[in-house]
Amino acid sequence: MCGITGYIGEQQATPVLLEGLKKLEYRGYDSAGIALQTGQGVVVCKEKGRIADLTKMVDLNVQSTAGIGHTRWATHGVPDRKNSHPHQSQSGRFTLVHNGVIENYLQLQRDYLQEVEMISDTDTEVIVQLIEKLSSEEVSTEAAFRKALTLLHGSYAIAMLDEQDPDTLYIAKNRSPLLVGVGADCRVVASDAMAMLQVTDQFIELHDEEMVLLRKDEVKIFTLGGERMERALYTAQLDQSDLEKGTYPHYMLKEMDEQPTVIRKIVDAYSNESGKLSIDSKVLQAFKGADRLYIIAAGTSYHAGLIGKQYFEKFAGIPVEVHISSEFGYNMPLLSKKPLFLFITQSGETADSRQVLVKVKALGYPTVTLTNVQGSTLSRESDHTLLLHAGPEIAVASTKAYVAQVAVLAICAYACGESDLELKKELSIAANAIQTVLDSKEDVRKVVEETLTDTRNAFFIGRNLDFYVSLEGALKLKEISYIQAEGFAGGELKHGTIALIEEGTPVFALATQRDVSPNIRGNVKEVTARGAKTSIFSIEGIQEEGDRFVLPHVHELLTPLVAVIPFQLISYYAALQRECDVDQPRNLAKSVTVE
């Protein structure tokens, strides 16, 4: 949540910062701003709304080769100009942007800043005012910056300008993602490498409780204790073309269409020299050495984890528990004797999951992270990493990363056990089936037009694996169309939820599991009798007359890969129908980096 850019070099900073913010807008779009070091002072421009709103206000004639930028997802204070970043100290000397949450900001305000009149309602302003306060007591800005950081409790990624030191950007990180980039004639800072690919693909990972002095030809990294750190560059494996929409009207549509290719990439990446599906031997031993697997995840990744549980138990015979990360961290259950923790996260920066990772590592338990971002925090701090190979996912509502998670979980479970299933062949069939469904977009659009035009709520039901897909379908619909939607196990309807069914209530039912197909069809009849407008999504082989959409046949265990596609499309077309912002839905951000 929230995105930072920073630049110091030979070029004009403004276009670099604005272009970087456009790439980071998926991280937050309540407000945005930039600050430019001009040599005669710092010029700040910020505005409520999107990067486009900010761009209209920026004076492109301001000459500056150093600056910082920010796009905000509000945590403290409503989204407005006064709460937008950058924030300045009382005298205007220091200007700062910040991602994260400072837990003790009120205490700091009481202890150090009683005489300072705060302009905003944010925790961020406390940081910059504190630095100015300490600068009167310390011998240098560097010392004041370091002292302030030692007083902060919580998460932060910080970039700061000092009006009196135009040749330096002051950078710091703790529990919030931040990278430093090295270009031919510049140095940059960003929350995500994609923001600065326009100037460099060479980056340095920053670790927690580190600060950086960034100059146009120099990067100095220190611990908060003052120890100088050296760290090698890495090359960001991103293609600039992957970050663009091309001819697509929305990133979400582009990313849905990429899903067959993602499955094929995963199969290729996890095939060994003999052409068989496999995973790294050390990861394999970690799985096989566990008496119980604990999957930790949130949101869409949690739904993928529920499906993964079935794979590990059926393919490998490993007992699995799936937990919501924000709950597990504060209510850890009794653990088995030899647990293994598997963290599922698209971004690798999910704060809820990371706080669990920190706790279980302190207890000495082995950890594996399944993520789409190599070098991300959870990837770096886990014992092992499994990559999704999905490519950048920009739309806030996850589609291809979810499908990738399910596919990689199937491969991991398959590699850990013994099965007659030809999984590689079956995944290829699933990829083709996904393409078939994607080619039927207009059929799904008609379903939306017939069922969701005037509704205020909707229900998704299924049994067995279909239940987990129903949870994901409901989440997608509520995320981007704002229709109140819920996913249920079909048998649970008559234990309370059926009271909500009224004339015209949309109910989407999945029927891809042969042994429970009669049961879910019985549930459909129950809600139809009470006035629901029902749509059954079945699969070849068990379809019946009157089914609204028939999916191509795939192996029964892999139906979640295909069954989720029409639900993704339903959410997309429902959002279009209601003129919602598909890629950047209200109140949401792509990377949930604060608890």
Side-chain angles (χ1 to χ4, degrees), residues 357-564:
L357 175 66
V358 170
K359 290 180 180 180
V360 299
K361 283 181 68 70
L363 294 171
Y365 297 128
T367 56
V368 179
T369 286
L370 175 60
T371 182
N372 199 33
V373 184
Q374 188 170 20
S376 57
T377 301
L378 269 83
S379 170
R380 195 170 60 243
E381 296 181 355
S382 289
D383 298 316
H384 310 285
T385 295
L386 294 163
L387 292 174
L388 297 180
H389 301 285
E393 187 177 65
I394 309 300
V396 167
S398 180
T399 52
K400 65 175 180 175
Y402 169 78
V403 166
Q405 288 168 347
V406 172
V408 175
L409 287 166
I411 291 171
C412 289
Y414 179 80
C416 292
E418 296 181 4
S419 172
D420 294 331
L421 177 67
E422 295 182 52
L423 184 59
K424 188 172 184 177
K425 175 184 175 183
E426 296 295 343
L427 284 170
S428 295
I429 292 172
N432 292 336
I434 291 172
Q435 186 62 62
T436 299
V437 178
L438 289 168
D439 290 342
S440 304
K441 291 184 179 73
E442 286 305 310
D443 293 335
V444 178
R445 185 198 287 267
K446 290 176 183 176
V447 175
V448 171
E449 292 171 350
E450 294 169 7
T451 59
L452 295 176
T453 300
D454 299 313
T455 189
R456 61 184 177 86
N457 57 12
F459 295 96
F460 293 73
I461 61 172
R463 289 177 178 245
N464 198 340
L465 289 172
D466 288 343
F467 165 46
Y468 306 137
V469 179
S470 295
L471 293 175
E472 177 61 12
L475 176 60
K476 283 292 154 290
L477 186 62
K478 70 180 77 169
E479 276 183 315
I480 65 170
S481 75
Y482 318 142
I483 295 172
Q484 197 280 324
E486 300 298 332
F488 287 96
E492 278 295 290
L493 280 172
K494 52 183 169 285
H495 292 285
T497 307
I498 203 167
L500 297 175
I501 300 297
E502 55 192 17
E503 190 68 33
T505 301
V507 176
F508 302 104
L510 270 182
T512 74
Q513 308 293 294
R514 182 177 294 275
D515 61 335
V516 291
S517 179
N519 305 80
I520 196 67
R521 291 180 183 278
N523 300 140
V524 171
K525 289 178 181 178
E526 291 167 354
V527 296
T528 301
R530 288 156 178 84
K533 190 181 295 184
T534 57
S535 301
I536 297 178
F537 293 75
S538 61
I539 197 163
E540 286 179 352
I542 60 172
Q543 78 269 28
E544 295 184 8
E545 186 177 352
D547 289 352
R548 191 65 182 80
F549 194 99
V550 179
L551 302 163
H553 177 78
V554 297
H555 191 282
E556 190 166 78
L557 288 175
L558 298 183
T559 56
L561 291 171
V562 183
V564 76

Side-chain angles (χ1 to χ4, degrees), residues 35-302:
L36 302 169
Q37 183 77 264
T38 68
Q40 287 79 45
V42 172
V43 175
V44 174
C45 181
K46 55 185 183 178
E47 181 60 286
K48 177 183 177 181
R50 305 298 175 87
I51 307 304
D53 299 313
L54 172 67
T55 302
K56 294 175 184 176
M57 295 182 59
V58 170
D59 184 355
L60 297 177
N61 294 317
V62 174
Q63 299 297 299
S64 172
T65 57
I68 54 178
H70 189 269
T71 181
R72 182 174 185 247
W73 188 87
T75 56
H76 293 70
V78 300
D80 61 14
R81 187 178 294 177
K82 73 172 184 179
N83 290 324
S84 305
H85 300 219
H87 289 281
Q88 291 189 292
S89 61
Q90 195 169 41
S91 72
R93 175 180 171 182
F94 299 104
T95 306
L96 180 146
V97 294
H98 160 237
N99 296 344
V101 173
I102 305 304
E103 297 163 2
N104 64 331
Y105 80 102
L106 290 175
Q107 179 185 339
L108 293 172
Q109 194 172 343
R110 287 194 301 267
D111 293 348
Y112 293 89
L113 304 171
Q114 289 187 7
E115 298 178 357
V116 177
E117 182 179 351
M118 294 290 170
I119 297 172
S120 75
D121 302 315
T122 69
D123 53 343
T124 300
E125 188 185 355
V126 171
I127 306 173
V128 73
Q129 302 290 12
L130 178 63
I131 291 169
E132 179 158 281
K133 171 76 172 178
L134 295 174
S135 69
S136 63
E137 304 169 3
E138 301 292 339
V139 295
S140 66
T141 297
E142 177 184 342
F145 189 61
R146 179 181 289 110
K147 176 69 177 296
L149 295 174
T150 64
L151 296 174
L152 303 181
H153 297 166
S155 59
Y156 56 77
I158 294 171
M160 186 185 78
L161 302 175
D162 177 0
E163 187 177 69
Q164 297 180 16
D165 183 8
D167 298 323
T168 306
L169 299 186
Y170 294 84
I171 311 299
K173 176 200 181 303
N174 186 51
R175 292 164 46 196
S176 192
L178 203 62
L179 300 170
V180 165
V182 177
D185 61 354
C186 66
R187 300 295 181 267
V188 297
V189 62
S191 300
D192 190 316
M194 70 172 69
M196 286 298 170
L197 285 181
Q198 56 184 306
V199 292
T200 184
D201 63 357
Q202 299 298 299
F203 291 90
I204 300 171
E205 295 173 355
L206 301 183
H207 294 178
D208 285 350
E209 296 187 337
E210 288 185 340
M211 58 174 283
V212 183
L213 302 181
L214 203 63
R215 301 183 177 96
K216 66 180 182 180
D217 56 0
E218 183 179 50
V219 178
K220 287 185 176 181
I221 306 173
F222 301 93
T223 66
L224 295 190
E227 180 184 358
R228 178 76 182 268
M229 307 297 293
E230 298 293 338
R231 197 160 297 134
L233 294 166
Y234 77 91
T235 302
Q237 301 294 325
L238 292 170
D239 187 334
Q240 184 71 31
S241 63
D242 289 339
L243 308 179
E244 305 296 337
K245 285 186 290 191
T247 58
Y248 284 92
H250 302 100
Y251 279 109
M252 184 179 178
L253 186 61
K254 173 178 179 283
E255 288 158 8
M256 286 190 291
D257 275 356
E258 289 171 349
Q259 289 175 119
T261 301
V262 168
I263 298 294
R264 296 181 184 111
K265 283 183 178 179
I266 289 169
V267 168
D268 183 60
Y270 285 95
S271 294
N272 60 23
E273 294 178 356
S274 62
K276 295 183 178 180
L277 292 174
S278 66
I279 59 175
D280 181 87
S281 60
K282 292 181 180 179
V283 183
L284 183 63
Q285 290 308 309
F287 280 121
K288 288 187 171 183
D291 65 357
R292 186 171 294 267
L293 178 61
Y294 293 83
I295 293 178
I296 310 297
T300 286
S301 297
Y302 173 73

Side-chain angles (χ1 to χ4, degrees), residues 295-299 301-303 305 322-326 342-345 353:
I295 293 178
I296 310 297
S301 297
Y302 173 73
H303 300 155
V322 187
H323 292 272
I324 297 172
S325 52
S326 57
L342 174 60
F343 295 87
I344 307 178
T345 163
S353 295

Side-chain angles (χ1 to χ4, degrees), residues 292-297 302 305-306 308-309 312-313 318-324 328 332-336 340-342:
R292 186 171 294 267
L293 178 61
Y294 293 83
I295 293 178
I296 310 297
Y302 173 73
L306 292 170
K309 168 183 167 69
F312 276 101
E313 293 185 346
I318 301 174
V320 180
E321 294 181 19
V322 187
H323 292 272
I324 297 172
F328 189 96
M332 190 178 296
L334 289 173
L335 302 176
S336 63
L340 173 65
F341 286 84
L342 174 60

